[in-house]
Amino acid sequence: MTQKKILIVLIFGLCFFYTKSQTTDLNLNLSSNNVLDIKKQKNGLLWVATDEGLNAFYDNESYVFYSNIQDSLSLLNSKIDNLFISSSDALITLSQDGLSVFDNEKFSFKRIKLNSKPVSISEDNLTLDLWVATENSGYYVINSDFEIIGHYLFDPLSPLSISTSNLIENNEKSMIFENNKVYISTNNGFNVFDKKLKTFKRYFKGKKSLFTTNNIVGIKKMGSDNVMIATENELVVFNIKENNFSN
């Protein structure tokens, strides 16, 4: 065996040993072996989302939550696609029909029905509002009391609406929250949301934006004045103060 092959085998072996040494079998009794997400709250509750119920574990105790059409305080759906824990340590489930927010004191859920399936939640750390991206009904904005305070859809008749309602690919990396603005990348353009006016300025491919495609794959803040925008074809810098683009 050559020195190069020996080195590769050694590295692989060390990685495997390290992975094995960091793995612990929790032996959890789950409602389904099809696990879709796992989260742990600061209070110690471990949550396991499955396609057949939401499992909660604390010390030696466990409980399984299901949807019950006759109980408005139960989960919206028994299949839980994703879990989210807010900065206030609130557990929120994402499922086909919307969100379910767990109430620790009442041991029940608050249902928030949406027009299409939620795909991700991003928290504005300045206002603590939650921006919920959906498959085809835009963004819902939910306040710290878990009330819907905004719903933003694409409107072909309004140039002040968001550039698309299809947000199936959006997540927390698609948004940048600032004091007065929110910057949003989508698969159909770049958006700047004015928090005070509740309106959007949207940018598509063209000479002004320097985009050669509308598919924005990511954004990242650079310093205090710039946002780096990555399309599927190029990198463009947006200056926040000047509202202009450059390569």
Side-chain angles (χ1 to χ4, degrees):
M1 185 180 290
T2 66
Q3 286 186 341
K4 184 176 181 181
K5 288 183 178 178
I6 292 173
L7 182 60
I8 292 172
V9 171
L10 181 60
I11 292 172
F12 179 81
L14 287 172
C15 290
F16 178 76
F17 175 77
Y18 179 78
T19 302
K20 289 281 285 183
S21 68
Q22 298 298 310
T23 302
T24 303
D25 187 356
L26 295 177
N27 260 345
L28 299 178
N29 186 19
L30 300 173
S31 57
S32 168
N33 290 327
N34 187 10
V35 175
L36 301 176
D37 202 359
I38 299 176
K39 289 286 189 297
K40 187 175 183 179
Q41 288 180 283
K42 295 174 185 176
N43 61 20
L45 272 172
L46 176 67
W47 297 90
V48 182
T50 76
D51 62 339
E52 295 179 7
L54 176 65
N55 301 259
F57 299 91
Y58 186 81
D59 290 337
N60 295 322
E61 299 181 20
S62 64
Y63 196 84
V64 182
F65 297 92
Y66 298 98
S67 175
N68 183 342
I69 194 171
Q70 296 179 332
D71 183 2
S72 61
L73 298 179
S74 68
L75 290 165
L76 267 175
N77 306 99
S78 291
K79 179 185 177 184
I80 307 300
D81 298 298
N82 293 289
L83 299 173
F84 178 85
I85 295 179
S86 71
S87 61
S88 63
D89 205 34
L91 176 92
I92 305 173
T93 71
L94 290 76
S95 60
Q96 181 64 43
D97 295 327
L99 309 175
S100 300
V101 184
F102 183 66
D103 188 321
N104 289 299
E105 295 182 358
K106 297 179 180 178
F107 214 64
S108 61
F109 292 87
K110 177 178 181 177
R111 294 176 170 183
I112 304 175
K113 292 187 177 182
L114 307 178
N115 290 340
S116 68
K117 183 178 178 180
V119 295
S120 68
I121 299 177
S122 301
E123 183 170 7
D124 184 338
N125 60 354
L126 300 171
T127 64
L128 302 184
D129 292 339
L130 303 177
W131 285 63
V132 184
T134 65
E135 285 190 344
N136 51 47
S137 60
Y139 272 110
Y140 287 85
V141 181
I142 297 171
N143 64 17
S144 56
D145 292 323
F146 305 110
E147 302 289 343
I148 296 175
I149 58 173
H151 184 200
Y152 302 112
L153 293 153
F154 169 67
D155 182 352
L157 300 179
S158 173
L160 301 179
S161 66
I162 193 169
S163 61
T164 180
S165 294
N166 179 358
L167 302 172
I168 194 169
E169 298 175 2
N170 280 44
N171 53 42
E172 65 277 3
K173 295 181 180 179
S174 306
M175 310 188 77
I176 297 173
F177 297 101
E178 295 291 321
N179 287 327
N180 301 312
K181 301 289 175 64
V182 182
Y183 302 92
I184 306 171
S185 63
T186 75
N187 59 11
N188 188 42
F190 172 66
N191 297 263
V192 180
F193 177 73
D194 188 304
K195 289 184 177 181
K196 183 178 181 180
L197 299 177
K198 311 295 184 187
T199 57
F200 289 84
K201 175 66 177 177
R202 55 200 192 197
Y203 299 92
F204 298 103
K205 65 180 180 179
K207 292 182 179 180
K208 182 177 181 178
S209 69
L210 305 179
F211 304 154
T212 60
T213 173
N214 286 326
N215 187 13
I216 312 299
V217 298
I219 55 175
K220 188 171 182 61
K221 188 76 182 294
M222 292 180 59
S224 60
D225 297 338
N226 296 310
V227 173
M228 175 69 78
I229 303 169
T231 78
E232 60 183 356
N233 295 336
E234 61 268 318
L235 290 175
V236 176
V237 176
F238 178 72
N239 186 282
I240 293 172
K241 290 186 176 180
E242 302 296 331
N243 287 319
N244 59 22
F245 296 85
S246 64
N247 292 119

Short mmCIF file of all heavy atoms in Angstrom, two decimals, residues 176-227:
data_model
loop_
_atom_site.label_atom_id
_atom_site.label_comp_id
_atom_site.label_asym_id
_atom_site.label_seq_id
_atom_site.Cartn_x
_atom_site.Cartn_y
_atom_site.Cartn_z
N ILE A 176 -32.06 39.35 5.75
CA ILE A 176 -31.20 40.18 6.60
C ILE A 176 -32.09 41.23 7.24
O ILE A 176 -32.77 42.00 6.55
CB ILE A 176 -30.08 40.86 5.79
CG1 ILE A 176 -29.15 39.81 5.17
CG2 ILE A 176 -29.29 41.82 6.67
CD1 ILE A 176 -28.13 40.41 4.22
N PHE A 177 -32.11 41.28 8.57
CA PHE A 177 -32.95 42.22 9.30
C PHE A 177 -32.13 43.41 9.78
O PHE A 177 -31.09 43.24 10.42
CB PHE A 177 -33.60 41.53 10.50
CG PHE A 177 -34.54 40.42 10.13
CD1 PHE A 177 -34.15 39.09 10.22
CD2 PHE A 177 -35.82 40.70 9.69
CE1 PHE A 177 -35.01 38.06 9.89
CE2 PHE A 177 -36.71 39.69 9.35
CZ PHE A 177 -36.30 38.37 9.45
N GLU A 178 -32.61 44.61 9.46
CA GLU A 178 -31.98 45.85 9.93
C GLU A 178 -33.03 46.67 10.67
O GLU A 178 -34.20 46.28 10.76
CB GLU A 178 -31.43 46.63 8.73
CG GLU A 178 -30.28 45.92 8.02
CD GLU A 178 -29.01 45.85 8.84
OE1 GLU A 178 -28.71 46.85 9.53
OE2 GLU A 178 -28.34 44.81 8.82
N ASN A 179 -32.64 47.82 11.21
CA ASN A 179 -33.55 48.64 12.00
C ASN A 179 -34.82 49.03 11.23
O ASN A 179 -35.93 48.93 11.75
CB ASN A 179 -32.85 49.91 12.49
CG ASN A 179 -31.86 49.62 13.59
OD1 ASN A 179 -32.07 48.72 14.39
ND2 ASN A 179 -30.77 50.37 13.64
N ASN A 180 -34.65 49.47 10.00
CA ASN A 180 -35.79 49.97 9.23
C ASN A 180 -36.12 49.13 7.99
O ASN A 180 -37.15 49.35 7.36
CB ASN A 180 -35.51 51.41 8.78
CG ASN A 180 -35.26 52.34 9.95
OD1 ASN A 180 -36.02 52.34 10.91
ND2 ASN A 180 -34.20 53.13 9.88
N LYS A 181 -35.25 48.21 7.65
CA LYS A 181 -35.43 47.45 6.41
C LYS A 181 -35.22 45.95 6.65
O LYS A 181 -34.57 45.53 7.61
CB LYS A 181 -34.43 47.93 5.35
CG LYS A 181 -34.54 49.41 4.98
CD LYS A 181 -35.79 49.70 4.18
CE LYS A 181 -35.97 51.19 3.90
NZ LYS A 181 -34.91 51.77 3.08
N VAL A 182 -35.79 45.18 5.72
CA VAL A 182 -35.53 43.74 5.65
C VAL A 182 -35.13 43.43 4.22
O VAL A 182 -35.83 43.82 3.28
CB VAL A 182 -36.77 42.90 6.04
CG1 VAL A 182 -36.43 41.41 6.00
CG2 VAL A 182 -37.28 43.29 7.42
N TYR A 183 -34.01 42.74 4.05
CA TYR A 183 -33.51 42.38 2.72
C TYR A 183 -33.79 40.90 2.49
O TYR A 183 -33.47 40.05 3.34
CB TYR A 183 -32.02 42.69 2.61
CG TYR A 183 -31.73 44.16 2.89
CD1 TYR A 183 -31.42 44.59 4.18
CD2 TYR A 183 -31.82 45.11 1.88
CE1 TYR A 183 -31.19 45.94 4.45
CE2 TYR A 183 -31.60 46.46 2.15
CZ TYR A 183 -31.28 46.86 3.43
OH TYR A 183 -31.06 48.19 3.69
N ILE A 184 -34.39 40.60 1.35
CA ILE A 184 -34.89 39.24 1.10
C ILE A 184 -34.46 38.76 -0.29
O ILE A 184 -34.70 39.44 -1.30
CB ILE A 184 -36.43 39.18 1.19
CG1 ILE A 184 -36.91 39.74 2.54
CG2 ILE A 184 -36.92 37.75 1.00
CD1 ILE A 184 -38.41 39.91 2.62
N SER A 185 -33.86 37.59 -0.33
CA SER A 185 -33.56 36.96 -1.61
C SER A 185 -34.63 35.92 -1.92
O SER A 185 -35.13 35.25 -1.02
CB SER A 185 -32.18 36.28 -1.57
OG SER A 185 -32.16 35.24 -0.61
N THR A 186 -34.99 35.80 -3.20
CA THR A 186 -35.97 34.81 -3.62
C THR A 186 -35.52 34.19 -4.94
O THR A 186 -34.53 34.62 -5.53
CB THR A 186 -37.38 35.42 -3.82
OG1 THR A 186 -37.40 36.17 -5.05
CG2 THR A 186 -37.77 36.33 -2.67
N ASN A 187 -36.27 33.20 -5.39
CA ASN A 187 -35.97 32.59 -6.69
C ASN A 187 -36.48 33.45 -7.84
O ASN A 187 -36.37 33.06 -9.00
CB ASN A 187 -36.54 31.17 -6.77
CG ASN A 187 -38.05 31.13 -6.57
OD1 ASN A 187 -38.72 32.16 -6.56
ND2 ASN A 187 -38.59 29.95 -6.40
N ASN A 188 -37.06 34.60 -7.51
CA ASN A 188 -37.54 35.51 -8.55
C ASN A 188 -37.32 36.97 -8.12
O ASN A 188 -38.26 37.76 -8.05
CB ASN A 188 -39.03 35.27 -8.84
CG ASN A 188 -39.50 36.06 -10.05
OD1 ASN A 188 -38.81 36.13 -11.07
ND2 ASN A 188 -40.68 36.65 -9.96
N GLY A 189 -36.07 37.30 -7.84
CA GLY A 189 -35.74 38.69 -7.55
C GLY A 189 -35.27 38.96 -6.14
O GLY A 189 -35.40 38.14 -5.23
N PHE A 190 -34.70 40.17 -5.97
CA PHE A 190 -34.20 40.66 -4.68
C PHE A 190 -35.16 41.72 -4.16
O PHE A 190 -35.65 42.56 -4.93
CB PHE A 190 -32.80 41.26 -4.89
CG PHE A 190 -32.24 41.97 -3.71
CD1 PHE A 190 -31.92 41.30 -2.55
CD2 PHE A 190 -31.99 43.35 -3.76
CE1 PHE A 190 -31.38 41.96 -1.45
CE2 PHE A 190 -31.45 44.02 -2.68
CZ PHE A 190 -31.14 43.32 -1.52
N ASN A 191 -35.46 41.68 -2.86
CA ASN A 191 -36.47 42.58 -2.28
C ASN A 191 -35.92 43.36 -1.10
O ASN A 191 -35.13 42.83 -0.31
CB ASN A 191 -37.67 41.76 -1.79
CG ASN A 191 -38.39 41.03 -2.91
OD1 ASN A 191 -39.38 41.50 -3.44
ND2 ASN A 191 -37.88 39.86 -3.27
N VAL A 192 -36.38 44.61 -0.99
CA VAL A 192 -36.08 45.43 0.19
C VAL A 192 -37.42 45.85 0.79
O VAL A 192 -38.21 46.55 0.15
CB VAL A 192 -35.25 46.68 -0.18
CG1 VAL A 192 -34.97 47.50 1.07
CG2 VAL A 192 -33.95 46.27 -0.87
N PHE A 193 -37.67 45.41 2.02
CA PHE A 193 -38.92 45.71 2.71
C PHE A 193 -38.74 46.88 3.65
O PHE A 193 -37.80 46.91 4.45
CB PHE A 193 -39.40 44.48 3.49
CG PHE A 193 -40.65 44.70 4.29
CD1 PHE A 193 -41.88 44.82 3.67
CD2 PHE A 193 -40.59 44.80 5.69
CE1 PHE A 193 -43.04 45.02 4.42
CE2 PHE A 193 -41.74 45.00 6.44
CZ PHE A 193 -42.97 45.11 5.79
N ASP A 194 -39.63 47.87 3.55
CA ASP A 194 -39.61 49.03 4.44
C ASP A 194 -40.52 48.74 5.63
O ASP A 194 -41.74 48.59 5.48
CB ASP A 194 -40.09 50.27 3.68
CG ASP A 194 -39.92 51.55 4.47
OD1 ASP A 194 -40.43 51.62 5.60
OD2 ASP A 194 -39.27 52.49 3.95
N LYS A 195 -39.94 48.64 6.82
CA LYS A 195 -40.73 48.27 8.00
C LYS A 195 -41.79 49.31 8.35
O LYS A 195 -42.87 48.96 8.83
CB LYS A 195 -39.79 48.09 9.20
CG LYS A 195 -38.92 46.84 9.14
CD LYS A 195 -38.10 46.70 10.42
CE LYS A 195 -37.27 45.44 10.44
NZ LYS A 195 -36.48 45.29 11.68
N LYS A 196 -41.50 50.57 8.12
CA LYS A 196 -42.44 51.63 8.47
C LYS A 196 -43.60 51.71 7.49
O LYS A 196 -44.77 51.77 7.88
CB LYS A 196 -41.72 52.97 8.54
CG LYS A 196 -42.60 54.13 8.98
CD LYS A 196 -41.81 55.43 9.08
CE LYS A 196 -42.70 56.58 9.54
NZ LYS A 196 -41.94 57.85 9.65
N LEU A 197 -43.28 51.67 6.20
CA LEU A 197 -44.31 51.81 5.17
C LEU A 197 -45.00 50.49 4.84
O LEU A 197 -46.06 50.49 4.20
CB LEU A 197 -43.69 52.40 3.91
CG LEU A 197 -43.07 53.80 4.04
CD1 LEU A 197 -42.42 54.21 2.72
CD2 LEU A 197 -44.12 54.82 4.47
N LYS A 198 -44.38 49.37 5.24
CA LYS A 198 -44.91 48.03 4.94
C LYS A 198 -44.99 47.79 3.43
O LYS A 198 -45.94 47.19 2.92
CB LYS A 198 -46.30 47.83 5.56
CG LYS A 198 -46.41 48.21 7.02
CD LYS A 198 -45.55 47.34 7.91
CE LYS A 198 -45.73 47.67 9.38
NZ LYS A 198 -44.79 46.96 10.27
N THR A 199 -43.98 48.26 2.72
CA THR A 199 -43.94 48.09 1.26
C THR A 199 -42.61 47.49 0.84
O THR A 199 -41.61 47.52 1.58
CB THR A 199 -44.13 49.44 0.55
OG1 THR A 199 -43.11 50.36 0.99
CG2 THR A 199 -45.50 50.02 0.85
N PHE A 200 -42.59 46.95 -0.37
CA PHE A 200 -41.40 46.33 -0.92
C PHE A 200 -40.86 47.12 -2.11
O PHE A 200 -41.64 47.68 -2.90
CB PHE A 200 -41.71 44.90 -1.40
CG PHE A 200 -41.97 43.93 -0.30
CD1 PHE A 200 -43.24 43.82 0.27
CD2 PHE A 200 -40.97 43.10 0.17
CE1 PHE A 200 -43.50 42.91 1.27
CE2 PHE A 200 -41.22 42.18 1.18
CZ PHE A 200 -42.48 42.09 1.74
N LYS A 201 -39.58 47.14 -2.24
CA LYS A 201 -38.92 47.58 -3.47
C LYS A 201 -38.27 46.33 -4.04
O LYS A 201 -37.46 45.68 -3.38
CB LYS A 201 -37.86 48.64 -3.16
CG LYS A 201 -37.03 49.07 -4.36
CD LYS A 201 -37.84 49.78 -5.41
CE LYS A 201 -36.97 50.27 -6.56
NZ LYS A 201 -37.75 50.92 -7.64
N ARG A 202 -38.66 45.95 -5.24
CA ARG A 202 -38.17 44.70 -5.79
C ARG A 202 -37.26 44.96 -6.99
O ARG A 202 -37.47 45.88 -7.76
CB ARG A 202 -39.33 43.79 -6.18
CG ARG A 202 -40.34 44.40 -7.13
CD ARG A 202 -41.67 43.67 -7.09
NE ARG A 202 -42.55 44.07 -8.18
CZ ARG A 202 -43.85 43.85 -8.22
NH1 ARG A 202 -44.43 43.22 -7.23
NH2 ARG A 202 -44.57 44.24 -9.25
N TYR A 203 -36.26 44.11 -7.12
CA TYR A 203 -35.27 44.26 -8.19
C TYR A 203 -35.16 42.95 -8.98
O TYR A 203 -34.98 41.87 -8.39
CB TYR A 203 -33.90 44.61 -7.60
CG TYR A 203 -33.88 45.91 -6.83
CD1 TYR A 203 -34.09 45.93 -5.46
CD2 TYR A 203 -33.63 47.12 -7.49
CE1 TYR A 203 -34.06 47.13 -4.75
CE2 TYR A 203 -33.60 48.32 -6.79
CZ TYR A 203 -33.82 48.32 -5.42
OH TYR A 203 -33.79 49.51 -4.72
N PHE A 204 -35.26 43.11 -10.31
CA PHE A 204 -35.14 41.96 -11.20
C PHE A 204 -33.91 42.13 -12.08
O PHE A 204 -33.19 43.13 -12.00
CB PHE A 204 -36.40 41.84 -12.07
CG PHE A 204 -37.66 41.61 -11.28
CD1 PHE A 204 -38.56 42.64 -11.05
CD2 PHE A 204 -37.96 40.36 -10.75
CE1 PHE A 204 -39.72 42.45 -10.33
CE2 PHE A 204 -39.12 40.15 -10.02
CZ PHE A 204 -40.00 41.19 -9.81
N LYS A 205 -33.64 41.14 -12.91
CA LYS A 205 -32.47 41.19 -13.79
C LYS A 205 -32.58 42.40 -14.73
O LYS A 205 -33.66 42.79 -15.15
CB LYS A 205 -32.34 39.91 -14.59
CG LYS A 205 -33.46 39.63 -15.58
CD LYS A 205 -33.23 38.32 -16.32
CE LYS A 205 -34.36 38.04 -17.31
NZ LYS A 205 -34.15 36.78 -18.05
N GLY A 206 -31.41 43.00 -15.02
CA GLY A 206 -31.39 44.16 -15.90
C GLY A 206 -30.17 45.03 -15.66
O GLY A 206 -29.30 44.71 -14.83
N LYS A 207 -30.09 46.13 -16.37
CA LYS A 207 -28.93 47.02 -16.29
C LYS A 207 -28.79 47.66 -14.91
O LYS A 207 -27.68 47.88 -14.43
CB LYS A 207 -29.04 48.10 -17.37
CG LYS A 207 -28.91 47.58 -18.79
CD LYS A 207 -28.98 48.71 -19.79
CE LYS A 207 -28.83 48.19 -21.22
NZ LYS A 207 -28.90 49.29 -22.22
N LYS A 208 -29.92 47.99 -14.27
CA LYS A 208 -29.84 48.66 -12.97
C LYS A 208 -29.30 47.73 -11.88
O LYS A 208 -28.42 48.12 -11.10
CB LYS A 208 -31.22 49.18 -12.57
CG LYS A 208 -31.21 49.94 -11.25
CD LYS A 208 -32.58 50.52 -10.91
CE LYS A 208 -32.54 51.29 -9.61
NZ LYS A 208 -33.86 51.90 -9.28
N SER A 209 -29.81 46.51 -11.83
CA SER A 209 -29.40 45.57 -10.78
C SER A 209 -28.12 44.83 -11.11
O SER A 209 -27.48 44.29 -10.21
CB SER A 209 -30.52 44.54 -10.55
OG SER A 209 -30.64 43.69 -11.68
N LEU A 210 -27.78 44.76 -12.39
CA LEU A 210 -26.62 44.02 -12.89
C LEU A 210 -26.84 42.51 -12.82
O LEU A 210 -25.92 41.73 -13.05
CB LEU A 210 -25.34 44.39 -12.13
CG LEU A 210 -24.97 45.89 -12.11
CD1 LEU A 210 -23.69 46.09 -11.31
CD2 LEU A 210 -24.81 46.41 -13.53
N PHE A 211 -28.06 42.08 -12.48
CA PHE A 211 -28.38 40.65 -12.47
C PHE A 211 -28.60 40.17 -13.91
O PHE A 211 -29.26 40.85 -14.69
CB PHE A 211 -29.66 40.34 -11.69
CG PHE A 211 -29.66 40.83 -10.26
CD1 PHE A 211 -30.87 41.12 -9.63
CD2 PHE A 211 -28.49 40.99 -9.54
CE1 PHE A 211 -30.91 41.56 -8.31
CE2 PHE A 211 -28.51 41.44 -8.23
CZ PHE A 211 -29.72 41.73 -7.61
N THR A 212 -28.10 38.98 -14.23
CA THR A 212 -28.42 38.36 -15.52
C THR A 212 -29.47 37.26 -15.35
O THR A 212 -29.85 36.60 -16.31
CB THR A 212 -27.16 37.76 -16.16
OG1 THR A 212 -26.61 36.75 -15.29
CG2 THR A 212 -26.12 38.84 -16.43
N THR A 213 -29.92 37.07 -14.12
CA THR A 213 -30.96 36.10 -13.80
C THR A 213 -31.73 36.60 -12.59
O THR A 213 -31.21 37.39 -11.79
CB THR A 213 -30.35 34.71 -13.47
OG1 THR A 213 -31.39 33.83 -13.01
CG2 THR A 213 -29.29 34.82 -12.39
N ASN A 214 -32.97 36.15 -12.45
CA ASN A 214 -33.79 36.54 -11.30
C ASN A 214 -33.61 35.60 -10.11
O ASN A 214 -34.12 35.87 -9.02
CB ASN A 214 -35.27 36.59 -11.68
CG ASN A 214 -35.60 37.80 -12.53
OD1 ASN A 214 -35.01 38.87 -12.36
ND2 ASN A 214 -36.54 37.64 -13.44
N ASN A 215 -32.90 34.49 -10.32
CA ASN A 215 -32.73 33.51 -9.26
C ASN A 215 -31.62 33.93 -8.30
O ASN A 215 -30.43 33.80 -8.60
CB ASN A 215 -32.42 32.13 -9.85
CG ASN A 215 -32.40 31.04 -8.79
OD1 ASN A 215 -32.84 31.24 -7.66
ND2 ASN A 215 -31.89 29.88 -9.15
N ILE A 216 -32.02 34.45 -7.13
CA ILE A 216 -31.06 34.89 -6.11
C ILE A 216 -30.85 33.73 -5.14
O ILE A 216 -31.79 33.31 -4.46
CB ILE A 216 -31.57 36.13 -5.35
CG1 ILE A 216 -32.09 37.20 -6.33
CG2 ILE A 216 -30.47 36.68 -4.46
CD1 ILE A 216 -31.06 37.72 -7.29
N VAL A 217 -29.64 33.22 -5.06
CA VAL A 217 -29.38 32.02 -4.26
C VAL A 217 -28.96 32.34 -2.82
O VAL A 217 -28.99 31.48 -1.95
CB VAL A 217 -28.33 31.12 -4.93
CG1 VAL A 217 -28.83 30.64 -6.28
CG2 VAL A 217 -27.00 31.83 -5.09
N GLY A 218 -28.57 33.60 -2.56
CA GLY A 218 -28.18 33.94 -1.19
C GLY A 218 -27.77 35.39 -1.04
O GLY A 218 -27.41 36.05 -2.02
N ILE A 219 -27.85 35.90 0.20
CA ILE A 219 -27.42 37.27 0.51
C ILE A 219 -26.65 37.25 1.83
O ILE A 219 -26.90 36.41 2.69
CB ILE A 219 -28.61 38.25 0.60
CG1 ILE A 219 -29.65 37.76 1.61
CG2 ILE A 219 -29.23 38.48 -0.76
CD1 ILE A 219 -30.79 38.73 1.84
N LYS A 220 -25.72 38.21 1.98
CA LYS A 220 -24.95 38.32 3.21
C LYS A 220 -24.54 39.76 3.42
O LYS A 220 -24.11 40.44 2.48
CB LYS A 220 -23.72 37.41 3.16
CG LYS A 220 -22.98 37.32 4.50
CD LYS A 220 -21.92 36.26 4.46
CE LYS A 220 -21.20 36.13 5.81
NZ LYS A 220 -22.12 35.75 6.90
N LYS A 221 -24.66 40.24 4.67
CA LYS A 221 -24.27 41.61 5.01
C LYS A 221 -22.75 41.75 4.98
O LYS A 221 -22.03 40.90 5.48
CB LYS A 221 -24.80 41.94 6.41
CG LYS A 221 -24.64 43.40 6.80
CD LYS A 221 -25.66 44.28 6.11
CE LYS A 221 -25.47 45.74 6.48
NZ LYS A 221 -25.74 46.00 7.90
N MET A 222 -22.29 42.83 4.37
CA MET A 222 -20.86 43.13 4.32
C MET A 222 -20.62 44.50 4.92
O MET A 222 -21.01 45.51 4.33
CB MET A 222 -20.36 43.10 2.87
CG MET A 222 -20.37 41.72 2.22
SD MET A 222 -19.76 41.81 0.52
CE MET A 222 -18.12 42.50 0.79
N GLY A 223 -20.03 44.54 6.11
CA GLY A 223 -19.83 45.82 6.78
C GLY A 223 -21.16 46.42 7.17
O GLY A 223 -22.16 45.73 7.37
N SER A 224 -21.21 47.74 7.26
CA SER A 224 -22.44 48.42 7.68
C SER A 224 -23.27 48.93 6.51
O SER A 224 -24.45 49.25 6.69
CB SER A 224 -22.09 49.59 8.60
OG SER A 224 -21.25 50.52 7.92
N ASP A 225 -22.67 48.99 5.31
CA ASP A 225 -23.34 49.65 4.19
C ASP A 225 -23.69 48.76 3.00
O ASP A 225 -24.40 49.20 2.10
CB ASP A 225 -22.48 50.81 3.66
CG ASP A 225 -22.27 51.89 4.71
OD1 ASP A 225 -23.09 51.97 5.64
OD2 ASP A 225 -21.28 52.63 4.60
N ASN A 226 -23.19 47.52 2.99
CA ASN A 226 -23.34 46.70 1.78
C ASN A 226 -23.97 45.34 2.06
O ASN A 226 -23.79 44.76 3.13
CB ASN A 226 -21.99 46.49 1.11
CG ASN A 226 -21.39 47.79 0.60
OD1 ASN A 226 -22.05 48.57 -0.09
ND2 ASN A 226 -20.13 48.05 0.96
N VAL A 227 -24.69 44.86 1.04
CA VAL A 227 -25.23 43.50 1.05
C VAL A 227 -24.67 42.78 -0.18
O VAL A 227 -24.83 43.26 -1.30
CB VAL A 227 -26.77 43.49 1.00
CG1 VAL A 227 -27.30 42.08 0.83
CG2 VAL A 227 -27.35 44.12 2.26
#
